[in-house]
Amino acid sequence: MTKSVNAFEANFDGLIGPTHNYGGLSQGNIASQHNAAQVSKPKEAALEGLLKMKFLADKGMVQGVLPPHERPHVPTLKKLGFSGSTDRDVVINASETNPLLYRNVCSASSMWTANAATVSPSADTQDGRVHFTPANLTAMFHRSIEPVVTGRMLQSIFADETHFAHHSHLPGATHFGDEGAANHNRFCSDYGLSGVELFVYGKEAFVKDGLAPKKFPARQTYETGRAVERLHGLNGHRTVHVQQNPEAIDAGAFHNDVVAVSNKNVFFYHEKAFVHNTQMQDQLRTAAPDIDFHFIEVPANRVPIQDAIKSYLFNSQLLNLPGSEGQMTLLLPVEAKETPSTFAYLQWLEESNHPIKEVSFIDVRQSMSNGGGPACLRLRVVMTEKQKASIKTNNILTDTLFKDLSSWVEKHYRDELSPEDLLDPNLLDESRTALDELTQIMNIGSIYDFQRG
Ligand code: SUG
């Protein structure tokens, strides 16, 4: 067995941006479709997100923060031929010409950092570095404009090349559709030991008439997982690729993390999550005989798939809180408490003989109304103390950073945004002023296009 180094899981949450709104942009995401054109509350949303981060930091978890992206995104508008003598004119031109298109470049969707990238810890990679591949997010236009800036941010934070390796996002069309860590699980006995990485895909891109959802898009392909496996230098024997159940995608599980969540040796998932559940278990056990897997499969007759999706039971964080002696905590959205079948299941789970010994609930309703639960809001980065110490930017949450970010939100964010408010060109300057100040708070350098001229 390989030697374990002392490693831990850090969670990097996306700070919710000043243009948080309900654009109705994501086909196949029930909440996004259902809440289209509702009035959003950007300040409340960002403060909810910060409180979630603080909750975990106070429990002793290493909690990181990823800054929001610049929105409205003028460089995209310019690439699409919108012009004007100033950026404000470009924004006015685009919002008047095509308000629907304009809404796409205003989305604060970078908050869901589970989709920012796929991350492989150093214990799994050939060169012993942590590898990052930003997700191309090709399935949805409003998200496809994220990867370049995401890559820039990750490179600024995880800058030390002796510890971290960065790849470009995958090229091409939806054939290499990549939604990042939302379709990726890593199992291990201990964070510092070699793990097994599980890539979940919705369809195979280069197979004719393969199994695929009928109603909603399969955002991630098999070929994508294989490409990331190669790029990250993963051991092929300790990498598994399985297909998500098309039925789950058609019911609204647009990412696998809507129906499954893992931590260390534990996999908590819905009966309808995969095409072949038993085969998935066998593949994992064969790939990593050293890991004592613990599977918790939630039967559909106790929690119907629709309830799992509505409540986001699985879009929770499964955590080993420091000092918990190997027992796990599940941090869920409050909606899971309000849905009778999921609440009853959770009460049973806490009493039963499973490693999940505690359930906690957190209010992230502003994000949930766009289909983003606690797990969507975080990117897991397993790292060592040495790797963490190499981070020189101010991205790890402390009491001071929490206070600074909360005051920053209070100062710059609007209380409400209606679909009409989104067309207000003043939002451009408001956001830029806020983000410029944020890069100073975080000491992260000029990551935004508007700062680079
Ligand atoms: O990609 N919603 C996001 C939600 C992402 C959730 N992430 C994970 N499951 N990991 C999406 O569909 C809605 C935007 C809008 O409609 O305004 C949106 O992009």
Side-chain angles (χ1 to χ4, degrees), residues 146-188:
E146 295 176 28
V148 171
V149 176
T150 298
R152 215 182 271 160
M153 286 177 181
L154 294 174
Q155 290 188 42
S156 292
I157 301 166
F158 305 100
D160 188 333
E161 288 177 13
T162 54
H163 295 302
F164 305 111
H166 295 272
H167 305 276
S168 305
H169 57 281
L170 298 185
T174 50
H175 287 74
F176 286 96
D178 184 3
E179 302 277 321
N183 294 322
H184 176 250
N185 288 282
R186 176 191 189 245
F187 300 91
C188 59

Side-chain angles (χ1 to χ4, degrees), residues 291-346:
I291 299 176
D292 180 20
F293 284 98
H294 192 106
F295 297 102
I296 309 174
E297 182 174 306
V298 180
N301 63 10
R302 290 184 70 180
V303 177
I305 185 87
Q306 290 78 9
D307 281 7
I309 291 168
K310 185 176 77 178
S311 68
Y312 265 35
L313 169 67
F314 299 96
N315 200 262
S316 44
Q317 290 180 251
L318 186 54
L319 302 156
N320 276 108
L321 297 177
S324 60
E325 308 282 330
Q327 299 192 344
M328 295 192 192
T329 297
L330 194 63
L331 180 64
L332 302 121
V334 282
E335 285 78 353
K337 200 184 197 169
E338 293 162 358
T339 306
S341 65
T342 53
F343 189 50
Y345 184 84
L346 288 167

Side-chain angles (χ1 to χ4, degrees), residues 20-40 100 103-104 107-109 111-112 140-143 216-217 219 251-255 258 309-310 312 365-373 376 419:
H20 159 65
N21 75 95
Y22 299 119
L25 305 177
S26 284
Q27 193 214 354
N29 170 342
I30 313 269
S32 152
Q33 296 299 292
H34 182 76
N35 293 308
Q38 295 283 330
V39 175
S40 65
L100 192 56
R103 216 186 287 163
N104 279 264
S107 175
S109 53
M111 69 172 84
W112 299 296
M140 301 288 146
F141 175 66
H142 69 290
R143 305 218 60 182
F216 293 142
R219 296 196 195 185
F254 54 97
H255 291 135
V258 175
I309 291 168
K310 185 176 77 178
Y312 265 35
R365 286 189 201 272
Q366 283 290 313
S367 167
M368 280 288 285
S369 299
N370 248 339
C376 298

Side-chain angles (χ1 to χ4, degrees), residues 31-311:
S32 152
Q33 296 299 292
H34 182 76
N35 293 308
Q38 295 283 330
V39 175
S40 65
K41 298 189 171 170
K43 187 179 285 182
E44 194 173 304
L47 295 175
E48 278 175 6
L50 277 166
L51 284 173
K52 164 166 128 49
M53 297 184 221
K54 175 92 165 76
F55 176 80
L56 289 179
D58 285 349
K59 298 268 181 204
M61 295 290 292
V62 177
Q63 179 65 57
V65 193
L66 292 179
H69 287 205
E70 163 192 356
R71 295 289 181 270
H73 198 233
V74 174
T76 299
L77 294 176
K78 286 185 175 165
K79 276 190 202 160
L80 296 173
F82 293 105
S83 58
S85 46
T86 62
D87 283 357
R88 186 183 166 91
D89 288 341
V90 174
V91 156
I92 294 171
N93 180 357
S95 62
E96 286 177 355
T97 309
N98 191 338
L100 192 56
L101 163 60
Y102 183 69
R103 216 186 287 163
N104 279 264
V105 304
C106 288
S107 175
S109 53
S110 67
M111 69 172 84
W112 299 296
T113 51
N115 307 116
T118 305
V119 186
S120 296
S122 45
D124 297 355
T125 63
Q126 212 165 28
D127 66 2
R129 294 189 293 169
V130 182
H131 282 243
F132 296 84
T133 297
N136 60 25
L137 297 165
T138 51
M140 301 288 146
F141 175 66
H142 69 290
R143 305 218 60 182
S144 69
I145 59 180
E146 295 176 28
V148 171
V149 176
T150 298
R152 215 182 271 160
M153 286 177 181
L154 294 174
Q155 290 188 42
S156 292
I157 301 166
F158 305 100
D160 188 333
E161 288 177 13
T162 54
H163 295 302
F164 305 111
H166 295 272
H167 305 276
S168 305
H169 57 281
L170 298 185
T174 50
H175 287 74
F176 286 96
D178 184 3
E179 302 277 321
N183 294 322
H184 176 250
N185 288 282
R186 176 191 189 245
F187 300 91
C188 59
S189 304
D190 202 3
Y191 295 119
L193 280 169
S194 150
V196 55
E197 300 201 13
L198 174 73
F199 290 85
V200 184
Y201 59 91
K203 66 171 185 203
E204 290 189 55
F206 295 101
V207 165
K208 246 182 124 220
D209 304 324
L211 199 59
K214 295 191 170 56
K215 202 164 137 203
F216 293 142
R219 296 196 195 185
Q220 179 119 6
T221 68
Y222 166 74
E223 291 80 356
T224 293
R226 285 286 184 202
V228 175
E229 173 189 338
R230 283 188 291 271
L231 288 167
H232 289 196
L234 300 179
N235 176 348
H237 298 295
R238 291 180 77 87
T239 309
V240 174
H241 299 260
V242 299
Q243 186 164 12
Q244 187 176 351
N245 191 340
E247 228 186 286
I249 297 177
D250 280 339
F254 54 97
H255 291 135
N256 185 249
D257 69 3
V258 175
V259 282
V261 61
S262 66
N263 178 46
K264 283 192 173 170
N265 63 329
V266 176
F267 203 13
F268 178 54
Y269 62 89
H270 193 269
E271 183 188 339
K272 302 263 182 205
F274 304 100
V275 174
H276 300 294
N277 295 344
T278 316
Q279 207 170 305
M280 177 272 295
Q281 294 186 5
D282 290 345
Q283 281 175 271
L284 285 172
R285 285 199 184 98
T286 308
D290 52 307
I291 299 176
D292 180 20
F293 284 98
H294 192 106
F295 297 102
I296 309 174
E297 182 174 306
V298 180
N301 63 10
R302 290 184 70 180
V303 177
I305 185 87
Q306 290 78 9
D307 281 7
I309 291 168
K310 185 176 77 178
S311 68

